[in-house]
Amino acid sequence: MMPRNLSGPLAGRSRISGKTPFLILIVLTVILASGCRRTPEPVRETRFMMGTLVEILVYAQGEDAANAVSRAFSRMAEIEKATSCRIPGNDVESVREGEGALFSGDAARILQTAISAAVASSGSFDPTLGELVDLWGIGTDRPRVPGEVEIRDALGRSGYQKIPESGRFPPGEKLWLDLGGVAKGFAVDEAVKVLKDSGVGAGIVDAGGDLRTFGVKPGSSPWKVGVQDPDQSRELAGILEAGEISIATSGDYQRYFEVEGVRYHHILDPATGRPARSGLKSATVLAPDCALADALATAAFVLGPERGLDLLEKRDGVEGILISEDGIYHTTSGIGTRFPFRKKQP
Ligand code: ADP
Ligand code: MG
């Protein structure tokens, strides 16, 4: 039997421990082991953006491929600039300052996905938690546990129902949006679009574990995507086999700080205003596009194993693997059937 070409992006993550201002980046990238058959060397480039390491790998050669990759990164940077609550001068800032804005283009599309995830999860996903996220400061060099009153006040000013359906935010009304739970996935989708439009046949865009594969990998074996073990950053919980796939993972091990042995991580439960304690360590979601996968992964993480699984099962083309604190894998019906999944041997 011919040895197969094995390659697979790992749904890896950058992790920031708030205890140290220092950034710990753990990048689990593509495993490439060549078999006898010669396949062209992929072009690969990594850049730091959207708070994480983004890797683009394409099976194409030469200057054209390198230019396509460069354009894909530029597109992602453009999206970050237009939608990040940490970058001044965009509509997110205008709305926070109560100056009013009419969302259009990328920001409007991201907001639509965010609203749809908020409605589907009954508000467990909420793109208006900017003030609360800022209070906790997780992933910054000034994380802290806020007081009850601060939390209550920030929650009082949040709520996805306050987002006008038209995307027209009137002046005088302040709302602190944080689209961080969905923007990266959207940027991955757009980067893939740029690569395809540039004539690239196959590749991977991986924004710290929000990733999408496209085309047929040389050697025609399926893409293999590693799902990170939430307990051991360099290990895999399992490997998924798929054709083209959009996948995102949310976990309590990605960004956090610790005080007296308690871990405070970056996914907040709008019901409590505190880091979600739903019994999950990680939520991995597969969806028709990466923006939706990203939003639903965050939502499922907040909802927990039962309600999270329910949310995913209800949506067409959506699958998921939820790993709970007791180490149990809760999977939707398409995992293991539509998407072969090899779980790590204990
Ligand atoms: P990451 O950004 O590490 O990939 P997620 O996609 O799960 O992880 O998004 C988490 C980010 O989304 C947080 O850093 C914060 O900006 C924002 N966020 C936190 N809690 C929520 C929530 N309940 N709903 C929507 N966004 C959230
Ligand atoms: Mg997300």
Side-chain angles (χ1 to χ4, degrees):
M1 203 174 76
M2 289 276 283
R4 268 188 320 166
N5 227 6
L6 224 190
S7 88
L10 308 185
R13 283 295 184 159
S14 63
R15 185 178 64 171
I16 296 172
S17 164
K19 255 286 170 78
T20 38
F22 157 74
L23 210 73
I24 309 160
L25 294 170
I26 298 167
V27 190
L28 304 168
T29 50
V30 181
I31 317 160
L32 291 171
S34 300
C36 317
R37 217 178 310 152
R38 283 194 68 83
T39 53
E41 278 297 308
V43 172
R44 180 192 282 186
E45 194 183 331
T46 305
R47 292 190 196 175
F48 189 82
M49 54 168 63
M50 306 188 100
T52 193
L53 274 185
V54 179
E55 180 176 69
I56 298 183
L57 178 149
V58 295
Y59 290 96
Q61 274 68 49
E63 211 175 307
D64 285 354
N67 287 340
V69 169
S70 187
R71 275 197 298 277
F73 276 121
S74 302
R75 178 77 182 105
M76 293 178 87
E78 178 183 59
I79 293 163
E80 180 178 20
K81 197 165 167 239
T83 62
S84 170
C85 54
R86 286 168 200 88
I87 296 180
N90 57 25
D91 285 343
V92 170
E93 183 186 57
S94 302
V95 171
R96 184 173 67 234
E97 300 303 322
E99 290 160 6
L102 172 60
F103 271 43
S104 63
D106 295 333
R109 288 166 65 202
I110 290 179
L111 198 61
Q112 274 317 314
T113 303
I115 294 168
S116 140
V119 171
S121 66
S122 308
S124 287
F125 182 93
D126 193 321
T128 66
L129 297 181
E131 185 178 351
L132 194 67
V133 169
D134 185 66
L135 268 186
W136 284 89
I138 297 162
T140 71
D141 55 5
R142 43 153 195 84
R144 68 181 180 98
V145 180
E148 278 302 330
V149 175
E150 288 175 290
I151 291 179
R152 209 186 44 221
D153 288 351
L155 274 180
R157 287 187 281 271
S158 73
Y160 73 96
Q161 297 92 338
K162 297 188 171 119
I163 300 172
E165 235 168 76
S166 59
R168 186 180 291 282
F169 292 83
E173 281 178 33
K174 294 184 178 181
L175 192 59
W176 194 329
L177 297 167
D178 178 341
L179 304 172
V182 54
K184 246 188 294 166
F186 178 82
V188 167
D189 290 330
E190 291 301 300
V192 166
K193 220 174 273 173
V194 169
L195 295 169
K196 283 183 172 170
D197 289 349
S198 306
V200 174
I204 304 151
V205 178
D206 180 359
D210 286 7
L211 74 87
R212 184 160 178 160
T213 63
F214 66 97
V216 178
K217 196 158 65 68
S220 64
S221 58
W223 297 101
K224 291 186 176 56
V225 180
V227 177
Q228 189 180 314
D229 184 332
D231 293 321
Q232 287 157 301
S233 58
R234 288 179 190 280
E235 301 248 336
L236 294 181
I239 295 177
L240 272 168
E241 275 189 26
E244 297 193 338
I245 191 176
S246 295
I247 184 166
T249 299
S250 284
D252 66 2
Y253 54 88
Q254 293 158 350
R255 288 164 202 267
Y256 61 85
F257 69 105
E258 277 173 352
V259 179
E260 290 163 7
V262 180
R263 180 184 289 194
Y264 298 95
H265 62 79
H266 74 317
I267 302 171
L268 304 176
D269 185 344
T272 62
R274 301 173 161 275
R277 301 230 183 283
S278 65
L280 286 180
K281 285 191 289 195
S282 76
T284 297
V285 172
L286 290 71
D289 61 67
C290 212
L292 186 63
D294 192 2
L296 293 181
T298 307
F301 185 88
V302 176
L303 286 169
E306 287 83 23
R307 290 167 66 210
L309 216 51
D310 239 33
L311 168 81
L312 305 179
E313 221 33 292
K314 262 192 220 140
R315 276 185 103 119
D316 274 354
V318 170
E319 303 291 346
I321 302 166
L322 310 181
I323 305 179
S324 51
E325 278 159 5
D326 49 15
I328 294 175
Y329 290 40
H330 307 261
T331 56
T332 54
S333 51
I335 301 291
T337 51
R338 211 177 129 212
F339 297 101
F341 180 57
R342 207 155 12 97
K343 199 173 147 185
K344 177 174 95 170
Q345 292 309 311

